[in-house]
Amino acid sequence: MKSDHELEFRPLRLEDIPAVVAIEQEAFTSPWTAEAFENELRNNHFARYLAMWHRGELIGYGGMWTLIDEAHVTNIAVRADYRGQGFGKQLMRELQQLAVRNGMERITLEVRVSNERAQRLYRQFGFEPAGLRPGYYTDNKEDALIMWAELGNMKAGERS
């Protein structure tokens, strides 16, 4: 795993969208479009997106919606050639800390039932299965596992 000092996290910017769309296309069978990200950044006041930079290169991003006291992770992805090195873990940690800083008490996400690797990552951050969304994914009608985590034990910047 790369050390934290080699990483920079900052809010996603409009000029980051082409790199984010390229990562989306690597990571997902039904990727979001540039227009979807632009709409999120310009018009969705509930949206919070982070860009993860390593040595001056955008290598990952994550986003969520913050509603009252709950955060909903919309997407999280790391470039293919950086996967398996702990970057996803660091990105998830930053997203949870951002949620805490925004006053969120719980966080949720959906993940493909077949994506055991992602589920293992999410469990490391306190996520537990809470139900299914049948046929959620439009590309193959795969079910989504709904997962939730409590953020109450976490202070901004640390995990207890």
Side-chain angles (χ1 to χ4, degrees):
M1 181 164 57
K2 303 295 180 204
S3 65
D4 288 340
H5 73 274
E6 294 179 335
L7 289 177
E8 176 191 350
F9 294 90
R10 65 163 173 74
L12 195 65
R13 300 175 185 156
L14 290 172
E15 61 265 25
D16 299 330
I17 291 176
V20 165
V21 168
I23 297 169
E24 271 283 301
Q25 292 171 345
E26 282 181 359
F28 303 112
T29 55
S30 297
W32 282 21
T33 63
E35 294 78 17
F37 281 104
E38 184 173 340
N39 184 58
E40 286 288 284
L41 295 180
R42 288 187 188 272
N43 303 318
N44 186 346
H45 301 290
F46 302 106
R48 306 286 179 269
Y49 285 84
L50 285 177
M52 180 173 60
W53 293 79
H54 181 257
R55 297 182 178 163
E57 181 179 9
L58 197 156
I59 64 161
Y61 66 93
M64 65 185 157
W65 298 334
T66 55
L67 304 162
I68 306 174
D69 63 353
E70 295 178 351
H72 181 111
V73 176
T74 55
N75 37 23
I76 182 169
V78 174
R79 273 195 34 202
D81 50 344
Y82 285 87
R83 293 185 196 141
Q85 300 176 50
F87 290 110
K89 193 177 288 190
Q90 291 178 298
L91 183 54
M92 190 71 225
R93 183 179 304 116
E94 289 292 324
L95 272 181
Q96 282 192 322
Q97 290 173 357
L98 180 61
V100 169
R101 287 192 302 270
N102 278 270
M104 302 298 104
E105 295 178 13
R106 294 170 33 123
I107 188 167
T108 187
L109 53 77
E110 291 93 5
V111 59
R112 289 179 185 268
V113 293
S114 64
N115 193 344
E116 294 175 11
R117 184 178 187 177
Q119 290 174 39
R120 281 193 303 275
L121 171 68
Y122 301 144
R123 282 186 173 94
Q124 291 177 24
F125 286 91
F127 284 88
E128 296 291 337
L132 287 178
R133 292 197 197 284
Y136 181 78
Y137 292 97
T138 57
D139 62 328
N140 65 357
K141 303 297 182 212
E142 185 174 355
D143 296 347
L145 179 64
I146 304 164
M147 300 183 83
W148 282 92
E150 296 292 330
L151 296 171
N153 294 335
M154 185 178 187
K155 296 177 185 172
E158 66 183 53
R159 176 110 176 121
S160 59

